[in-house]
Amino acid sequence: MKERISKIIHNIYFLPITVAIVCFLALLLLINLYRSQRNEEEALRMEYIARTVEAETYETLSYQLSKTHILEGHLIETGGNFDDFGPIAEGLLKEPYVRNLLFAPNGVVKGIFPIEGNEPVYDLDMNGQGQGNLEAQAAIQKGELYMAGPFEMVEGGLGICGRLPIYLRNESGEREYWGLVSITLSYPDIFDNSPMQHINEQGYTCRIWRINPDDNKPQTILETEKTVDRNAIALSRQMALFNSEWTLDIAPLNPLLSSIIFTFLLLANIAVSTLVGVGLYLNSKVRRMKAEETAAQIRLLQEQLEQEQTHMLLSQISSHFFYHTLNALQALIVLQPDAAYKMAGDFARYLRFNLDSITAPSGMGTFKDELRAVRAYADINVQQLGDRLKMEYDVPDIDFDIPTLTIQPVVENAILHGIKPKIGGGTVSISVQEMVAYWQVTVTDDGVGFSPDSTDNSKSVGLDNVRKRLSRFDGCYMTIDSQPGMGTKVVLRFAKNYDN
């Protein structure tokens, strides 16, 4: 009798405890996968922000410092004389951020434009000690353009200078060192349009700094309004700018947020696992007390579980897109209610089309229905990406039958893998042409492109699925033309009369 009672107790407790432990471990694995995915996404976002800031900073400085070559060209034409450079200087000084232009034969300043306000610079010897002179001497040694600064200028204020050594041909035709030319840019005004000012809005902090060669101490060059926590730097990269080396650091604005979320999910996991165990324990007791009723309940629970599993599978469709859209809706509800209302409508059309397509018995739909879903998806991405995404449609008012989910994945692929990774964004175009035996839909983008022949290319997985889907229908096929850096063109052809 005691053995029987012990066996009953064992059966009642063993299964719930075992299931609770398995449930806890399974949910813990999912939490870790979520955390890993979140960290990966955050790393990609920070890498994109860093590359954007670096590219914009380089383009700004490159455009301004390249003006030193105008001074160089004048000296080559005049054989080293800069007395009549005034008219050219007047035009250059009208450019934003240009503070002054210097001619320094043998490294000693003898020509200043404008002279007014820059008198202290005259006779400045760049071969000696002084802020910015180390870069000037390095430029002479290397024979290349060097950037100096930011530093305190002799004439007052802060500036960034470009030092370019000049070599002229002597009477024997040999290159001979003439001296230096220099352009001074107003700092920090030159970075007024830097993307740095919008980084806090994206949830991150950023700082650009360098080791000042004059005192070997760290010097901040650019920084977001909310500064970088030195103990929370998540990404640090070197920026080589005209023989100068700057460092860019970026970190999450709220570094504790991920830990808080992980802790919350862990506690939720414990609660869910406990509830599962308790529920299973109670279910076991009920099953022993009412065998027949419990059997019916089990069958009902199994049917519900199958339905829930089906819903879970459907909810995985474009999970990244769902996640970002819901986050965007949350922000727009407060900031732009009208935009949030439109995005909610677009999101609903997108979901309805995908669900209807999955359940379509013949696998067929209409071009207009799919185009509505494409527009809804594109409008959501335009709201999220802003000026970085432009959509163009050359579509007449027509309709025809097509296999479902064949155009939308192509457009999604163009936006996700073509435009989003490209600095500055780009354009996706959709056009339709009627041929004698088929309809032709062309989707083009000027994004980063890819190699269709690659055997390991995640960018072409969605297109391969479309190709397989089209292969089920006679007279329907797809061609792809893409090269890295040259964008992508996908042509879909749908037969006017075919059998599936």
Side-chain angles (χ1 to χ4, degrees), residues 404-425:
T404 58
L405 288 174
T406 50
I407 300 176
Q408 179 188 303
V410 175
V411 176
E412 290 184 13
N413 193 81
I415 295 174
L416 181 63
H417 297 299
I419 302 303
K420 281 190 177 182
K422 181 181 178 181
I423 295 177

Side-chain angles (χ1 to χ4, degrees), residues 69-278:
H69 293 291
I70 298 177
L71 282 66
E72 178 187 30
H74 181 78
L75 292 174
I76 292 174
E77 288 182 2
T78 61
N81 189 301
F82 49 84
D83 293 337
D84 59 347
F85 189 71
I88 302 176
E90 184 177 351
L92 291 175
L93 291 169
K94 290 180 181 178
E95 294 278 340
Y97 316 121
V98 177
R99 185 167 172 176
N100 61 44
L101 306 166
L102 306 179
F103 290 90
N106 295 315
V108 180
V109 177
K110 295 298 182 181
I112 311 173
F113 300 89
I115 187 65
E116 296 80 6
N118 293 296
E119 292 85 352
V121 185
Y122 194 81
D123 283 335
L124 174 67
D125 187 356
M126 297 185 188
N127 301 302
Q129 299 296 320
Q131 294 194 44
N133 286 349
L134 290 177
E135 288 91 345
Q137 294 158 24
I140 296 171
Q141 293 175 2
K142 268 198 157 185
E144 298 175 356
L145 175 64
Y146 257 77
M147 181 176 66
F151 60 84
E152 188 74 31
M153 307 298 295
V154 174
E155 64 273 28
L158 295 172
I160 292 178
C161 295
R163 316 286 202 194
L164 179 66
I166 303 300
Y167 296 87
L168 302 178
R169 298 286 180 181
N170 59 22
E171 296 178 355
S172 302
E174 298 176 347
R175 293 178 78 249
E176 187 176 81
Y177 173 66
W178 177 87
L180 290 166
V181 294
S182 175
I183 183 171
T184 304
L185 307 174
S186 297
Y187 170 84
D189 301 346
I190 190 174
F191 297 119
D192 283 347
N193 297 319
S194 171
M196 183 78 73
Q197 55 188 304
H198 302 295
I199 293 177
N200 280 161
E201 302 170 8
Q202 302 176 52
Y204 299 94
T205 59
C206 189
R207 176 194 182 215
I208 296 178
W209 59 280
R210 69 164 186 161
I211 296 297
N212 193 326
D214 297 312
D215 56 16
N216 289 320
K217 293 181 179 179
Q219 176 189 18
T220 297
I221 299 168
L222 278 175
E223 192 166 28
T224 52
E225 183 178 352
K226 295 181 181 179
T227 58
V228 175
D229 182 352
R230 304 295 189 270
N231 298 319
I233 294 175
L235 176 66
S236 184
R237 58 187 293 131
Q238 302 301 313
M239 302 168 55
L241 302 168
F242 304 98
N243 292 297
S244 297
E245 190 171 273
W246 292 359
T247 301
L248 184 149
D249 293 334
I250 187 170
L253 191 59
N254 298 307
L256 295 178
L257 182 61
S258 296
S259 299
I260 294 173
I261 293 175
F262 178 76
T263 302
F264 172 78
L265 291 175
L266 186 61
L267 293 175
N269 181 13
I270 295 173
V272 170
S273 301
T274 302
L275 288 174
V276 169
V278 172

Side-chain angles (χ1 to χ4, degrees), residues 3 16 70 111 202 234 290 317 325 329 374 393 422 440:
E3 291 181 359
I70 298 177
Q202 302 176 52
K290 299 180 179 180
I317 301 173
T325 301
L329 273 172
V374 167
Y393 300 89
K422 181 181 178 181
Q440 179 169 295

